[in-house]
């Protein structure tokens, strides 16, 4: 008899436990079907700072301010102070052009002495070594100047009656305009040659 009672109690406890599990599963299924499915949360947009009415938080750009009405625009060049008045802009200097240096022309060659330097008495020496005196005067004779010779063995020199100075050279003339000799002054002497023979001739003071 006691064993039968124990079996009955165990059966009742097992039944109660099964009923509790069934009830719990039923409630869980009911609650899950009755509750709405949860939606995934959307990310929130970043909040913009409140700048007040009429202000925007867009990108900021900078630009030079326009001059007030009636005011002149600021000059683009450097500004210097004018001691006697208002401030004015300094003008850019013009570009400097470099010019090639031009050498001055050489001075003209001037014959030293000239006609007046050879006026007077000279000692003439020909190629043979003979010498004589030749006088070159400053007295005009037509378009030439008077000349004379003394003690000259050379016939060409003995006939000299006039002389002239042209292009830095002394010309000795015979009557009729024949050139007897031509010499070039050099320092205190003259060197040249007889016209007919071409023999050298020298004259010194």
């Amino acid at each position: 008899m006691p064993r039968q009672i124990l079996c009955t109690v165990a059966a009742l406890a097992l039944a109660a436990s099964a009923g509790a599990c069934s009830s719990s599963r039923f409630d869980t299924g009911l609650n899950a079907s009755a509750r709405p499915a949860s939606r995934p949360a959307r990310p929130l947009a970043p909040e913009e700072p409140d700048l007040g009415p009429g202000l925007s938080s867009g990108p900021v750009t900078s630009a030079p301010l326009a001059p007030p009405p009636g005011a002149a625009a600021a000059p683009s060049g450097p500004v210097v102070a004018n001691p006697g008045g208002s401030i004015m802009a300094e003008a850019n200097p013009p570009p400097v052009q470099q010019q090639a240096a031009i050498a001055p022309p050489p001075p003209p060659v001037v014959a030293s002495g000239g006609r007046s330097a050879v006026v007077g008495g000279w000692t003439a020496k020909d190629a043979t070594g003979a010498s004589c005196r030749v006088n070159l005067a400053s007295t005009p004779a037509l378009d030439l100047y008077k000349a004379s010779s003394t003690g000259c063995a050379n016939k060409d020199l003995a006939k000299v009656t006039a002389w002239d100075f042209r292009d830095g050279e002394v010309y000795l003339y015979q009557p009729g305009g024949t050139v007897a000799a031509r010499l070039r002054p050099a320092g205190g002497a003259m060197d040249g040659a007889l016209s007919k023979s071409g023999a050298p001739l020298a004259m010194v003071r």
Side-chain angles (χ1 to χ4, degrees), residues 1-2 9 60 82 86 91 118 142 144 154 165 180-181 186 196-197:
M1 185 71 180
V9 172
V60 179
N82 185 7
S86 59
V118 297
L142 298 178
L144 303 175
N154 188 283
F165 184 87
K196 288 184 179 180
S197 63

Side-chain angles (χ1 to χ4, degrees), residues 9 11 20 27-28 43 54 62 65 112 128 131 147 151 159 162 164 175 182 191-192:
V9 172
D27 291 343
T28 303
S62 63
L65 297 177
S112 60
T128 62
S131 62
K159 297 178 181 179
D164 195 9
R182 189 172 65 179
D191 294 322

Side-chain angles (χ1 to χ4, degrees), residues 34 38 130 178 198:
S38 60
T178 303

Side-chain angles (χ1 to χ4, degrees), residues 101-109:
I102 300 176
V109 179

Side-chain angles (χ1 to χ4, degrees), residues 68-146:
S76 59
V79 178
V80 296
N82 185 7
S86 59
I87 298 176
M88 54 185 183
E90 181 181 4
N92 294 329
V96 179
Q97 297 181 355
Q98 296 182 354
Q99 297 181 353
I102 300 176
V109 179
V110 179
S112 60
R115 181 179 289 108
S116 61
V118 297
V119 173
W122 294 84
T123 300
K125 293 182 179 181
D126 59 14
T128 62
S131 62
C132 63
R133 293 291 295 176
V134 177
N135 184 53
L136 306 179
S138 59
T139 306
L142 298 178
D143 56 345
L144 303 175
Y145 295 88
K146 290 183 178 182

